[in-house]
Amino acid sequence: MQHFSHHCCDLASLDALCATHDLRNRRGLIQVFVTECEESLLQTVLERLQRFPGFAVIGASAAGAIAGGDILDHGVLLSVTVLEHTSTQIKTYYVAQPDAEAGRSLGMALAAEGARLALAFGNVLDENPEPFLEGFAAGAPELVLAGGVAADNLRFHGTFVIHGDQVYSRGLVLAAFYGQDLHVRTESLLNCTSVGRPMRITRAREECVYEIDGKPVLDVYRYYLGEEVLENIPVSMVEFPLIARTQGVDVARLPVSLTEDGALRYAGRLRMEEPVRFGIGDIFTMLERAREVAEHLACHVPAEALYVYSCRGRRLYLKEHAPIELGSLAAVAPAAGFFTYGEFFHLSGDNRLLNMTTTAVIVAESDEIHSKSPVLRQKLPAPNRTLRALAHLSEVTSQELAQSMRVLEQYRYALDQTAIVSRTDLQGRIMYVNALFEQVTGYRAEELMGNSHSLLRHPDTPSAVYESLWRTIRAKQIWRGVIKNRAKDGRAYYLKSTIIPLLDEHGEILEYISVAEDITEIIQAQERIERQAVDRLTGLPNRNSLIEVLERDRFGMLALLDVAGFKSINEYYGFEVGDRVIVELAARLVRYLQPLEIGVYRSYGACFALVAPQEMPPATFEAHLRSLRESMHSLRVLVGEEEEEIDLDFYVGIAIGGDHLLALAESALQKAKEEGVREGVFVLSERNQSYLKNRFWINEIKQALHEERLLCHFQPIVPVSMTGERPKYEALLRLRGRDGTLYPPGEFLDIVKQTSHYSRITRRVLELALDAAQCSGAQVSVNLSYLDVADERTRTFILDLLARGGGAYLVFEITETEAFKDPAQIRDFADEVRRHGAQLALDDFGSGYSNLSALVQLVPDYLKIDGSLIVRVEHDENVRQLVKAATDFSRVLGMKVVAEFVRSESLARHLRALGVDYLQGYALGAPGPLP
């Protein structure tokens, strides 16, 4: 093997090189290293090299070319390797997308063909070559890979690689050497001294580092190295690499650019929580080490060619001494190479991207060893004893500090084994969490770093808790309390927390540390005791029990059986008789279904849930329900002092399979009602399209609650006469889609009513409405359903809000139909909220079977006439008289009348003439954010 280099300044010198070495009739590899030169010269050189068919050509832009011990900053350097053994072969490749998969595939292919060495040149300004290097090592763990990253002499503007006569601004080129007689040896020279205390990367993405030890990366450089280090980024930083130790090898990282969002982009990745230290170099030690390596290679390694790939940052640090290091290596064998923005180096089973190093690849086709020390003519500079002493002082101080830190680490370890620990900065951003914190929350540490604890905030926890917490710790006091949080999977958990402000030597707050204990099981046990799991009227398990059982045991089939026209029974016989019908029906269902191991639950009103055992086939379950219907056409109940037979008919919906069985069963029951299926049963499985829609909305609502994409728009309720009273609005729920589209509740609310998310939506709307009302001084109406009033947790939440002073701001609207499902319970609720100063409105009056008797008993503060009547007032005399009668009736009972859906000024004039008190509709104002 022969190896020589040629500085190509013009075509004449290239022709002379060809003639001297007879390149047209020989074969090998030409590496092209381009420094400052005209583009036309480079293209002409590459075209001329194609006349040498026996030579493969690869190359890269360089921050200086290396020819023996000389450094060239102008022109094109050709590193020519001439092969003499016929068994040695070279193949070249261009990889347009050098990702991990491309590296793995190419590595496997080369290893299978018996390749001995791979020389690769990549780019780092537009793409990180590390994934390719890692993939290559996975595909060919023992194949030596060397080379480096193209450079442009610290301009960091545009680099390129060369394959044949083509120049590429992206991608990677590679030359593979084959041959059983080929000897390969690699060396890496860093010899930077790590100084200062170990630091940790606490926020990073790929090769971009945002924070070290929880502080902005530029602040860390400024703090330890002074303001001057930021004057000309990244050039001003190349003398101070970050050093990380990996597999026993010191790996340096140099910044190559500053991103727009304040991160330093390095020529290689630094992993989260990876310990790093600043590095400085002792020039004498670096050069002395190069001589030691050169003497060892010359005496023990076959060497016919030596390829040198050295970091531009190392050249900047060594300055005029750089040729001494290169001359030492060139004394081993003819040497050539270039200065890079990162060097590729092979470890056993792994490939690394290095910075601040000089790497050398020594190759030979023969096994001859010179066995004598090389002649090294250049003298080494005098040792910098001051720098060595300071470095030694820094290292000893660091060791003493490390010993103190080890003791503190043992204290921390003991704490981490028994408590949930986190640290936050002054803005509440998470800087550290321990393993127990990750275990309880379900989040990985890297998902939490830099985020606020609001990521974990549960909507049930009042804002007042956090206000008190921050007020306490900002006053440098310790806060203790119980916090309800939400884990990554949506489940709630409770922490008994102690939050301590840590102070500096001046008594100012540095950060906050939280030490907590998970008391979720204790709280849940208390909630189970407090929560009523049994329906008070029938003694059956209630809806809460049903939801808990379905979530816990994942049954495969569920039916809902609802009495058709049960409202008519209540209206004709009265609610007391209606309750007796429900009680007797529940008893009959239990007697019939319990022997079949079918569970019976009261869902709401006259609707019962029937849960099939896991092993029961769907056809058998359906047959049992059909038989049940045939045996229950009527019930005998006490009416007054005598028993009377009351005819019954049922709607039955069955759900089979699916993650949201109750929602699917509700859809099946609704379909049965819409299609009038009273003689049979209606069955839906998870394959039905409607179920897929339901499932989409359930998942969308779950995510929207987590991402706080639920909001309220407010429509004004305008008084007919100016009374000086506070402004009134109705809160209208909206969901902001991922694309920004606003969806009204009609799209999703009926679907999620059958899930545990519905109560969370109600609580969220109440919080938003009350916040808006208190900020604006307005009175805001909030819509509630019977489910909200019947749900103990929602009801308790409402009363807690009112007890904290929200009563004067809120009006609760309940539709006429919902209000008369259980008038007694609605009356109790109305009495409770009125005691706190809140008011009640009956919504959509006139849309159903208006029950004046029940209305007299309830006596809401406002009666809202349904829009289906209001829009006909102008053209239908009967409707006008009906609205007039309702207005007069309300005035007698002391109720105010609100007309909805007022779409024009003409309609508004008619309504004023009829005596209504308030108008609401687009003619008065569209829904929107509260002014």
Side-chain angles (χ1 to χ4, degrees):
M1 176 183 290
Q2 296 181 27
H3 183 230
F4 53 86
S5 59
H6 174 73
H7 185 201
C8 186
C9 297
D10 52 51
L11 294 181
S13 65
L14 181 58
D15 291 339
L17 174 73
C18 173
T20 302
H21 295 280
D22 191 21
L23 297 184
R24 294 180 187 275
N25 299 309
R26 307 182 79 178
R27 61 189 185 87
L29 174 69
I30 299 177
Q31 299 177 63
V32 182
F33 304 119
V34 184
T35 58
E36 301 287 344
C37 78
E38 295 294 332
E39 183 177 344
S40 58
L41 173 63
L42 170 62
Q43 199 58 51
T44 303
V45 169
L46 295 180
E47 291 172 359
R48 189 65 59 90
L49 292 179
Q50 299 308 303
R51 299 179 183 179
F52 311 147
F55 284 86
V57 176
I58 63 170
S61 59
I66 299 169
D70 297 325
I71 299 173
L72 308 175
D73 286 318
H74 298 281
V76 178
L77 179 72
L78 303 181
S79 168
V80 183
T81 303
V82 180
L83 303 177
E84 296 182 342
H85 286 204
T86 57
S87 63
T88 306
Q89 303 292 326
I90 296 176
K91 296 181 182 179
T92 62
Y93 303 85
Y94 169 66
V95 183
Q97 292 183 323
D99 54 20
E101 180 56 31
R104 188 186 68 83
S105 299
L106 183 56
M108 291 178 64
L110 298 185
E113 294 173 354
R116 301 293 302 279
L117 170 65
L119 297 180
F121 306 141
N123 282 290
V124 78
L125 297 184
D126 296 311
E127 55 204 3
N128 181 7
E130 282 184 289
F132 178 88
L133 300 182
E134 293 168 359
F136 194 92
E142 300 306 321
L143 176 56
V144 174
L145 184 143
V149 177
D152 62 353
N153 212 13
L154 298 180
R155 288 193 298 272
F156 300 102
H157 176 68
T159 61
F160 57 84
V161 294
I162 298 168
H163 183 240
D165 61 351
Q166 297 297 310
V167 177
Y168 299 97
S169 61
R170 300 181 69 93
L172 178 145
V173 296
L174 183 144
F177 287 68
Y178 301 81
Q180 292 298 319
D181 297 327
L182 190 68
H183 299 273
V184 179
R185 171 71 177 266
T186 58
E187 290 288 344
S188 171
L189 303 174
L190 175 61
N191 307 113
C192 279
T193 301
S194 297
V195 296
R197 68 175 185 84
M199 304 173 290
R200 291 190 178 274
I201 306 297
T202 49
R203 186 178 168 219
R205 186 179 68 248
E206 296 298 331
E207 63 270 22
C208 294
V209 175
Y210 292 85
E211 293 182 358
I212 298 177
D213 282 349
K215 300 179 179 64
V217 62
L218 294 184
D219 289 353
V220 173
Y221 273 81
R222 179 187 293 111
Y223 180 79
Y224 286 109
L225 302 176
E227 195 71 38
E228 295 81 3
V229 80
L230 307 182
E231 289 180 353
N232 186 22
I233 299 172
V235 176
S236 55
M237 295 180 172
V238 296
E239 298 181 48
F240 304 100
L242 289 180
I243 308 293
R245 191 161 186 82
T246 305
Q247 294 185 359
V249 175
D250 283 340
V251 177
R253 284 288 176 260
L254 292 175
V256 295
S257 64
L258 178 66
T259 67
E260 292 182 355
D261 54 355
L264 281 179
R265 185 166 180 262
Y266 288 81
R269 282 180 295 187
L270 287 164
R271 293 167 177 80
M272 289 286 291
E273 290 300 309
E274 185 172 31
V276 294
R277 298 172 72 183
F278 283 113
I280 60 171
D282 173 14
I283 293 177
F284 177 83
T285 302
M286 296 167 76
L287 300 179
E288 186 179 48
R289 175 59 180 160
R291 288 202 168 186
E292 292 173 355
V293 169
E295 289 174 355
H296 175 80
L297 292 175
C299 295
H300 300 91
V301 176
E304 295 174 338
L306 194 146
Y307 307 138
V308 182
Y309 308 111
S310 184
C311 183
R312 181 61 179 87
R314 190 177 184 90
R315 176 188 174 186
L316 187 68
Y317 189 81
L318 289 174
K319 297 184 176 66
E320 70 274 12
H321 303 297
I324 298 178
E325 180 178 71
L326 301 176
S328 297
L329 297 174
V332 177
F338 75 110
F339 286 100
T340 76
Y341 282 164
E343 303 77 59
F344 304 157
F345 190 71
H346 177 74
L347 301 169
S348 179
D350 196 8
N351 295 315
R352 291 288 176 179
L353 174 62
L354 307 179
N355 299 139
M356 206 63 181
T357 61
T358 292
T359 60
V361 184
I362 304 94
V363 293
E365 288 183 295
S366 72
D367 54 5
E368 181 181 353
I369 300 175
H370 297 295
S371 298
K372 63 178 181 180
S373 297
V375 178
L376 302 174
R377 296 181 175 85
Q378 292 176 297
K379 292 184 178 180
L380 297 182
N384 189 332
R385 290 184 169 81
T386 301
L387 180 62
R388 287 187 171 186
L390 290 175
H392 179 73
L393 174 63
S394 173
E395 183 63 21
V396 171
T397 304
S398 296
Q399 289 177 1
E400 291 175 347
L401 178 61
Q403 177 59 32
S404 299
M405 290 298 295
R406 278 191 289 271
V407 175
L408 291 176
E409 279 293 322
Q410 293 178 62
Y411 287 133
R412 191 184 76 166
Y413 175 80
L415 184 63
D416 282 344
Q417 301 309 300
T418 56
I420 300 163
V421 181
S422 65
R423 292 167 44 217
T424 59
D425 63 16
L426 300 185
Q427 286 72 44
R429 293 187 296 260
I430 298 172
M431 300 159 48
Y432 166 82
V433 297
N434 68 350
L436 282 179
F437 193 105
E438 293 178 289
Q439 180 181 326
V440 170
T441 65
Y443 286 94
R444 300 190 309 275
E446 54 265 34
E447 295 176 291
L448 295 164
M449 292 304 108
N451 282 304
S452 165
H453 271 281
S454 61
L455 177 68
L456 306 169
R457 180 174 179 175
H458 198 285
D460 289 351
T461 304
S463 299
V465 172
Y466 295 100
E467 292 169 2
S468 170
L469 184 158
W470 278 105
R471 194 163 49 246
T472 301
I473 61 178
R474 282 173 175 160
K476 305 176 185 178
Q477 303 296 314
I478 297 174
W479 184 88
R480 295 180 177 88
V482 174
I483 300 178
K484 181 179 182 180
N485 281 338
R486 180 168 53 193
K488 185 178 181 180
D489 60 6
R491 61 181 171 80
Y493 65 94
Y494 296 83
L495 297 181
K496 184 178 181 182
S497 300
T498 300
I499 302 177
I500 305 168
L502 302 183
L503 310 179
D504 64 15
E505 66 272 18
H506 305 295
E508 298 301 322
I509 299 173
L510 285 172
E511 63 185 56
Y512 304 101
I513 184 168
S514 170
V515 181
E517 175 186 3
D518 185 1
I519 59 170
T520 304
E521 292 185 0
I522 297 173
I523 297 292
Q524 289 178 342
Q526 291 173 347
E527 288 179 345
R528 282 193 294 270
I529 294 171
E530 295 169 0
R531 185 172 61 242
Q532 291 294 328
V534 176
D535 178 60
R536 288 176 290 182
L537 180 63
T538 64
L540 292 176
N542 63 13
R543 182 182 179 83
N544 289 337
S545 296
L546 173 66
I547 293 173
E548 184 175 335
V549 166
L550 292 178
E551 291 178 347
R552 185 184 67 230
D553 297 330
R554 299 182 63 82
F555 286 91
M557 289 184 294
L558 171 70
L560 292 179
L561 179 147
D562 196 10
V563 177
F566 186 75
K567 183 178 180 182
S568 299
I569 295 176
N570 272 335
E571 292 177 345
Y572 185 81
Y573 293 100
F575 292 100
E576 184 176 352
V577 173
D579 285 348
R580 290 175 188 162
V581 171
I582 291 174
V583 171
E584 179 59 23
L585 178 58
R588 292 274 294 273
L589 289 173
V590 170
R591 286 198 298 271
Y592 188 93
L593 297 174
Q594 200 169 53
L596 303 173
E597 297 184 343
I598 295 175
V600 182
Y601 299 76
R602 186 186 179 197
S603 182
Y604 57 84
C607 182
F608 294 85
L610 313 175
V611 181
Q614 296 279 17
E615 64 276 9
M616 181 175 287
T620 304
F621 186 46
E622 185 175 342
H624 286 319
L625 296 185
R626 292 181 184 274
S627 176
L628 170 68
R629 291 177 59 115
E630 295 172 1
S631 67
M632 298 178 64
H633 287 301
S634 63
L635 291 175
R636 295 189 65 81
V637 296
L638 189 65
V639 179
E641 297 181 359
E642 296 181 358
E643 281 194 344
E644 186 171 334
E645 188 163 315
I646 298 178
D647 294 331
L648 297 179
D649 206 350
F650 304 92
Y651 294 108
V652 181
I654 299 178
I656 301 177
D659 295 331
H660 303 283
L661 203 57
L662 182 55
L664 186 59
E666 287 288 350
S667 298
L669 181 62
Q670 185 62 32
K671 278 286 186 182
K673 292 179 179 180
E674 291 172 358
E675 298 183 17
V677 180
R678 294 194 183 188
E679 296 302 322
V681 298
F682 196 95
V683 180
L684 281 181
S685 73
E686 62 180 331
R687 293 185 297 273
N688 290 86
Q689 185 65 31
S690 59
Y691 168 72
L692 297 178
K693 177 184 176 183
N694 292 353
R695 185 169 185 175
F696 164 79
W697 280 114
I698 289 169
N699 289 333
E700 181 68 7
I701 285 294
K702 181 179 179 181
Q703 196 66 24
L705 284 165
H706 178 69
E707 297 171 356
E708 297 187 350
R709 288 191 282 111
L710 292 179
L711 62 149
C712 282
H713 279 184
F714 300 86
Q715 187 171 38
I717 302 171
V718 180
V720 169
S721 58
M722 295 299 103
T723 61
E725 64 186 304
R726 68 170 66 182
K728 298 181 185 295
Y729 295 86
E730 180 178 355
L732 300 172
L733 173 64
R734 297 291 186 266
L735 183 151
R736 179 176 285 114
R738 291 178 174 87
D739 61 354
T741 303
L742 290 179
Y743 295 95
E747 293 280 350
F748 55 84
L749 200 58
D750 286 341
I751 295 171
V752 298
K753 272 187 178 180
Q754 316 310 325
T755 71
S756 59
H757 305 310
Y758 176 70
S759 61
R760 295 173 60 197
I761 293 175
T762 299
R763 293 194 290 274
R764 178 62 177 160
V765 170
L766 285 165
E767 288 181 333
L768 292 172
L770 183 56
D771 285 346
Q774 289 177 330
C775 289
S776 65
Q779 187 180 46
V780 175
S781 298
V782 179
N783 290 282
L784 297 181
S785 71
Y786 171 75
L787 291 177
D788 295 319
V789 176
D791 184 78
E792 287 189 13
R793 291 179 62 191
T794 302
R795 192 162 172 165
T796 300
F797 180 84
I798 291 172
L799 295 178
D800 286 343
L801 280 182
L802 300 181
R804 294 199 298 271
Y809 294 95
L810 295 179
V811 177
F812 297 100
E813 292 189 16
I814 301 177
T815 65
E816 175 193 12
T817 304
E818 295 277 330
F820 297 142
K821 284 184 177 179
D822 191 344
Q825 190 167 41
I826 299 298
R827 285 197 302 274
D828 290 342
F829 174 76
D831 292 339
E832 287 181 304
V833 300
R834 281 171 172 154
R835 280 195 291 271
H836 292 285
Q839 294 180 307
L840 190 72
L842 190 66
D843 198 10
D844 296 345
F845 184 78
S847 62
Y849 301 96
S850 301
N851 188 321
L852 296 180
S853 173
L855 179 62
V856 170
Q857 295 179 46
L858 185 60
V859 190
D861 301 282
Y862 300 92
L863 188 71
K864 302 189 75 170
I865 300 177
D866 186 69
S868 63
L869 296 176
I870 295 299
V871 296
R872 294 160 55 193
V873 161
E874 287 184 274
H875 310 293
D876 191 328
E877 179 60 26
N878 291 332
V879 172
R880 278 198 295 273
Q881 293 304 319
L882 182 60
V883 172
K884 179 80 167 62
T887 302
D888 294 339
F889 177 76
S890 299
R891 188 165 287 112
V892 171
L893 295 180
M895 297 182 292
K896 300 289 186 180
V897 176
V898 182
E900 299 179 293
F901 287 81
V902 182
R903 297 175 177 175
S904 68
E905 180 54 34
S906 173
L907 177 57
R909 285 196 300 272
H910 279 82
L911 293 166
R912 292 188 188 100
L914 293 174
V916 301
D917 301 289
Y918 297 92
L919 302 176
Q920 180 181 353
Y922 276 78
L924 288 307
L930 203 61

